[in-house]
Amino acid sequence: MAFDEAAIRRHMLVTPGAMAAADERTIAGGTERAVLIRRAARAITRVLRSRYAKQPTVILCGPGHNGADGISVAEMLIEAGWPVEVVLLDENQDLSDRLGVLSRVRPSGTFSPRAGMLVIDALFGAGLSRLLEGEALMLIERLELSQATCLAIDLPSGLDGQTGEIRGAAPYADATVTFHRLKPGHLLGHGPERCGKVFLADIGIEAEEDDAGALHNHPDLWRHLLRPSKRDTHKYEKGHVTALGGPGLKGGAGRLAARAAAVSGAGAVTYLTPLSSAEFAAASFDAVMVAPFHGPDSVTDLTYKRGGACVFGPGMGHGDAAKEALLAVLETEIPCVLDADALTLFEKKPGELFEKLHPNCVLTPHEGEFSRLFGEMEGSKLERACKAAKKAGAVVLLKGSTTVIAGDGLPLVNSNGSAALATAGAGDVLAGLIAGFLAQGMAAAEAAAAGAYIHADAASGQGPGLEAEALPPLIASVLKNLVAPTH
Ligand SMILES: NC(=O)C1=CN([C@@H]2O[C@H](COP(=O)(O)OP(=O)(O)OC[C@H]3O[C@@H](n4cnc5c(N)ncnc54)[C@H](OP(=O)(O)O)[C@@H]3O)[C@@H](O)[C@H]2O)[C@@H](O)CC1
Ligand SMILES: [K+]
């Protein structure tokens, strides 16, 4: 079982280069470019008129088709009686057949954005090819620093559509209207903070699977893998999770992971902990079973008997016994999640870990753990996660407000995270949840994708007071809705 094919087409992220190719393919297929530009302009105008009152509006138009969208929007707004002014980056642009727009052109030096003014940013979109400089930089810097309301066409100019990096400057748009599919840059790096609310418009571009540079993580992709079990199933048929916890005072993290595994839909969870902490652990769990950890055999005997999946790392500590147990379990190729201490254990000798990893492993580092394990890497978060997955031979889930999941197939970008998740223990819950999905038979990338989305969805709508302990019941109710028969 894998991601749903139809959902892949709907939720793919298309790089600017692939988008330009898709535009050309559509034009070669018989749709005139002018028609696409008019459809784009209509979509922008629709968003604009539903979102903003009639007000002084300046349209910044660049030399390419992004600028052509802007000019087309200017015509539509002028016809609707809006007080529109146009600033052209290429002042030699021929507007002799568009006299209405020509009469509104103002010199770029007069561009003085301020509160109460609407600015439509149509300087550059998919065709941004270098750092902004000169007049373009001057216009965008003025806009970036102003209180004007900005509506960006396709991308805020200066934001790299592939990486989400800023090439010189970029405005803080209130909203961005993009076409056909989101671009990675809307979700990565500075994208979320610069794009504002993103509207996606269908302008009649045909989707081809090869256009996908990545997937935007969404339940449509993996909801079918969460189907409830048959009625007469039993707990071990629903999957067993082995969670290795740490000694004494560090036990909380492992217990959070075990609890999350228990609400994932897995039938049973065993929490292994050194004998000295076992009684305390047993007193803090009801449904989760507790067993003593006394070295690699205590884990491998259990996984041999129960199968399922393991979660290593949260609160596990850096002891030799835990490390040996981890390496022994990796040998058996049972699906595993490695988080926290299970990653930092190998920061001095990552090769020792990479040698033992296999495609059923999910590594869940945050940025700090990532760079300690993989070293400093160049590139966007998406590119770095992909390189790391290749190096490790496993699925890498690189956490953050935007999370990236990379493995063998198309990488995924998860964008429903919120500040509420920046709290101690939230990562432990995620690791346990993913282990729970692995134990139920999901492949590593699918389990990581479902885990990242459901974990973030559980926290959405929660405020700064969210404690990680509160997440498991919230996860249970997200899951209940996702598997409800109405879907
Ligand atoms: N393709 C289509 O049919 C459709 C496209 N659509 C729309 O068009 C957009 C893509 O259009 P596009 O490919 O023309 O690219 P665009 O973003 O306008 O920029 C290219 C121009 O900018 C220039 N330039 C680049 N960087 C620069 C810099 N830093 N500083 C200064 N100049 C710079 C670059 O110059 P060059 O690199 O060639 O020297 C070139 O002149 C897309 O985002 C969507 O809005 C839709 O209407 C649907 C139909
Ligand atoms: K733009």
Side-chain angles (χ1 to χ4, degrees), residues 50 165 167 191 237 241 296 303 305 371 376 419:
S50 67
E165 281 158 18
R167 305 184 78 173
E237 219 173 66
V241 175
T303 55
K305 187 165 162 209
S371 53
E376 295 302 329

Side-chain angles (χ1 to χ4, degrees), residues 332-413:
T332 70
E333 303 213 347
I334 192 170
C336 279
V337 179
L338 275 63
D339 186 42
D341 294 340
L343 304 173
T344 50
L345 254 177
F346 295 95
E347 63 188 41
K348 296 223 165 58
K349 280 193 180 168
E352 196 183 346
L353 175 66
F354 299 161
E355 201 176 286
K356 291 276 162 55
L357 290 172
H358 52 80
N360 288 328
C361 294
V362 181
L363 274 51
T364 56
H366 54 56
E367 285 284 359
E369 290 158 348
F370 183 88
S371 53
R372 286 200 289 276
L373 194 62
F374 294 101
E376 295 302 329
M377 279 187 187
E378 292 286 306
S380 71
K381 189 165 190 169
L382 191 59
E383 290 160 342
R384 289 184 294 118
C386 289
K387 277 188 225 166
K390 217 166 172 189
K391 205 165 168 181
V395 167
V396 172
L397 179 151
L398 178 49
K399 289 185 280 206
S401 55
T402 295
T403 288
V404 172
I405 298 145
D408 266 352
L410 279 172
L412 294 105
V413 181

